[in-house]
Structure formats: C-alpha cells, structure tokens
Amino acid sequence: MKKFMNWMEKSFAPKMNKIARNPWMVSVQEAILTCMPVILIGSLANVLAILNNYIEGFPNVYPIADFSMGLLSMFLSFLIPYNLMEKKKHRKIKREAGIAGLALFLLLCSPVFDADGNISFVFWNLGSGGMLTALVAGLFTGVIMHLFAKFSFFKEDTVIPDFITVWFDTFIPMFVIICIGWISTFILKINMFEVISQICSPVVDAGDSFVGMFVIYFIGYAFLYTFGISTWLLYSLEVAITFPALAANQAAVAAGGEATKIMVQGISTYVTIGGAGCTLALGLMMMFLSKSKRNRLIGRTTFIPSICNINEPIVFGAPIAFNPILMIPMWIVGFIAPLITYLTFYFHLLPKISMLFAFGYMPFPIVAYIRNGIGGVILIMVIFAISWIVYYPFFKIYDKQCVAEEEAKMAKLQEKSNI
C-alpha cells in the first residue's frame, strides 16, 4: 500500500493533473462555467413553470429558459475557440475565433431556407441537444485558428494598426472554417449534426449505463480525487453526456412519451451528497462526535461548505486525500452511491429526471424534492445513512489516532515547560 501511495502521489497524480490543466480541456471547462449563469436562469424558469399548475393565468415562463439554457450550444461554440486562443497566447484573434466557431456550428446544424429566404433551425439543436456538435465545431475552429496564428502578412514592426493586421491575418483561417461547413452542408448535403451524434453515440450510450456512472462518479469523483486529482478531469466528459441526455428526456416528455435516460444532468444530486464521495456524513461526525480538538474544528469550519456540497475543505483539510484510513470509505461510498442511484432509476422506483435544475450548491434534499418529490428525498436519506454507516468505523479509528497525537504533543509541551 505504501509503494502504491508513493507511486500515485509522485508519478500518476502529477500526470493526471497535467492533463486536467491542458489548455484544450481547460478551454472547454471554462466555456461551460462561463455559461453557468444562463444554465441557472433556465433552471429558475423551469421551477417557476411549476406555478402554472397551481396559479391560473400565471404567464408562460418557458421562453426565459429557451433564450438562456436553450441557446447553450451556440454560446459554447463561440466560447471554446475564444478561450483556446486566450490559453494559447493568441489573444489578438480570440474574438475572430469565437465568431468562426459560432458560424461553423450554425452551418453544421443544417439550416433550411424556404422560398422566401427565411432560415429555420431545429431549436433543440441550439441548446443542450447540440452540445456534442458545439464541442466539435469549437475545437475544430480552435485547431485551424491555432495553425494559422503564427502566419502574418505583416512584419512585427509594421506601422499598420493591429486591428487591420488581424482582419487580414484571420481572413484565410476563417474562410477555410466557413467553407468547410458550407461544403459539407450545402454541397455534399451531409447532415453533420447527425454524423457527429452517430459517431459520439457509443460514448453517450456507455455514459448512460452503470459503467458510465462508475467511471465518472467512482473513478473520477472518488478514487482519483483522494489522490489530489481534480474532479475537473472528467467534467467535460460528464457534461457532454449528461446535458444532451437531459435534453432527450425533456423532448420525450414534451412529446407525451417517457424519459429513458438515467445518466443526465442532475443525477449527481444523489451520488455527491456534501460533495464527491458523499462526505457530508464524515463532516458531521467530526463536528459532533469527534474527541479530537483538531477534528472538531475541521467539522465546524467545513459544515457550511459541506451543506452546499463543496468538500475541498474536508478532502484536503481532514485530510482525506492521501490518508489511507479515510480514503477507503470514500472509495466504498463512491461505488455504492452510484450503484443504488442507478438501480433506483433503472427499476423505475423513481421517475427519470427530465427537469433542469442546476443549483448544485443548494442543499440536496431540497433539490431532490424539486426533481423527484418525496421519493427523491427518501433516496437522499437512504444514501446518506449508508454513507454514515460506511464512514463511521474509519472515522473512529482516525479520530483515536488524532487524539493520541494531540495527547503526545501536549505531553511534550508540558515536559518542556517543566524543564
């Protein structure tokens, strides 16, 4: 175990963290985070829409969601190449890269013109349903703009203003990007939106299985996290799977059908209670049951973040990371929580999630009630109880060690004071 821990700490973890900081991955992550306000606006609109069932004449608020969360893929197609140029130190052309990414995405969505020249899109494609296409369009645009970034018609000491040199220097790459979209959509008549969806479907289908939940919520959110590897490592993959899946459930329900996807945005409500690895139970134990002064202090200081499902303070402050005693129960819970959640939805004990509610920092029992009613709250309580049972014996061992260390330290201090 000691050799394994040393290898993870000195070799594996640094490599994984380096991947997580890769500019291509960071560009996608930051693009999604930049869009978080519109996701929250869409979530709020969906909650307000519930009032239509209780208040006669309450206005239709769905357009608020349509023109916030409903345009998510458009925003991403701009932000991904924009961020990438920033990360690659090509700041002069980041706006042009964003424009090209947006243009390519709209072309790949196969717009249709009628006889009067009016253009139409499948609106679902512009929102979370088009995320995969937006990712491809954004990253492809980033590649082309990056390849042409070092080329310039002008010398470095030119007296021509920068904004004019940027016009000419970005003309060729932007022309290439837009022409590729034009040729594939209008000349070759290829529905690239469908092609991208088909190519990515094995990943999406695997993501909607227990294997997908296992990879993201056990390996990414529990196992690797205990070695200090950021959960952001798999965040882009998680979002690429869960948001389109939620959009598919919403479309199915809107058409009078039944939601079929399990691994959707919001499923983390049940598998990350208090944060990755369901650490809320451990924090409460430290706060109320610990005999160690240090652990009690950690419990008090991490209580509010844990209630809001932020557990970096307890993972790195307790610490759980690189602590074999507390790592093991986090792994166990990190496996059991996704398993129970998956089986609950697989056997239709709860209706599959079809409502966007992305307030991830709100206490999860409230979120679960909004999504799945009292049944969701019961599932939260069951998983929380199991996490308590799993963490408790390991907590007692760790707390006992901490008490012994504190007593030994006090004895040394008293010995020095007596001298």
Side-chain angles (χ1 to χ4, degrees), residues 93-113:
I93 62 172
K94 61 184 180 181
R95 288 180 291 271
E96 288 74 15
I99 292 170
L102 176 57
L104 178 61
F105 169 71
L106 293 176
L107 279 166
L108 297 184
C109 285
S110 297
V112 176
F113 292 89

Side-chain angles (χ1 to χ4, degrees), residues 40-284:
L40 296 178
I41 291 170
S43 300
L44 180 60
N46 281 317
V47 173
L48 291 175
I50 297 174
L51 297 176
N52 284 314
N53 300 324
Y54 303 100
I55 302 176
E56 186 176 351
F58 191 81
N60 178 19
V61 296
Y62 281 116
I64 297 175
D66 291 339
F67 289 92
S68 54
M69 178 67 187
L71 300 177
L72 176 64
S73 292
M74 285 183 58
F75 303 144
L76 290 177
S77 67
F78 176 90
L79 288 168
I80 291 171
Y82 179 95
N83 288 341
L84 187 57
M85 294 303 100
E86 181 74 28
K87 302 300 178 187
K88 289 290 187 178
K89 312 296 185 195
H90 308 316
R91 296 183 177 91
K92 288 184 179 180
I93 62 172
K94 61 184 180 181
R95 288 180 291 271
E96 288 74 15
I99 292 170
L102 176 57
L104 178 61
F105 169 71
L106 293 176
L107 279 166
L108 297 184
C109 285
S110 297
V112 176
F113 292 89
D114 63 17
D116 298 324
N118 299 314
I119 189 172
S120 62
F121 293 90
V122 177
F123 192 76
W124 183 79
N125 293 349
L126 304 182
S128 55
M131 279 192 65
L132 294 174
T133 303
L135 290 173
V136 171
L139 291 173
F140 178 78
T141 300
V143 170
I144 300 300
M145 297 298 289
H146 175 62
L147 291 176
F148 280 87
K150 294 183 179 179
F151 169 80
S152 178
F153 289 104
F154 309 92
K155 295 181 179 180
E156 290 185 5
D157 58 352
T158 180
V159 296
I160 298 175
D162 284 347
F163 69 91
I164 294 179
T165 64
V166 170
W167 290 350
F168 285 94
D169 291 343
T170 57
F171 171 80
I172 294 177
M174 291 181 72
F175 181 76
V176 169
I177 292 165
I178 294 173
C179 276
I180 288 174
W182 165 67
I183 291 170
S184 63
T185 301
F186 292 101
I187 304 300
L188 300 179
K189 305 295 183 182
I190 299 174
N191 188 328
M192 290 302 297
F193 191 94
E194 293 296 329
V195 170
I196 292 170
S197 297
Q198 289 298 320
I199 292 173
C200 296
S201 61
V203 176
V204 175
D205 292 341
D208 195 45
S209 65
F210 177 69
V211 173
M213 290 191 72
F214 176 83
V215 169
I216 291 174
Y217 293 118
F218 172 73
I219 295 180
Y221 277 45
F223 182 76
L224 294 180
Y225 194 25
T226 59
F227 290 99
I229 299 171
S230 173
T231 54
W232 293 108
L233 180 66
L234 296 178
Y235 181 70
S236 300
L237 175 63
E238 177 191 3
V239 170
I241 292 171
T242 58
F243 272 98
L246 176 63
N249 279 0
Q250 290 176 318
V253 172
E258 183 180 349
T260 59
K261 302 290 186 181
I262 296 175
M263 185 64 175
V264 302
Q265 195 283 329
I267 198 69
S268 60
T269 298
Y270 302 104
V271 298
T272 58
I273 304 168
C278 298
T279 55
L280 178 60
L282 178 63
L284 292 175

Side-chain angles (χ1 to χ4, degrees), residues 10 37 45 58 70 80 101 113 160 201 251 253 284 286 300 306-307 311 317 323 332 338 362 372 375 390 407:
K10 296 178 181 178
F58 191 81
I80 291 171
F113 292 89
I160 298 175
S201 61
V253 172
L284 292 175
M286 289 187 166
R300 293 191 191 103
S306 293
I307 288 293
N311 70 345
N323 182 346
I332 296 172
M362 183 177 289
N372 294 105
V390 172
E407 290 176 348

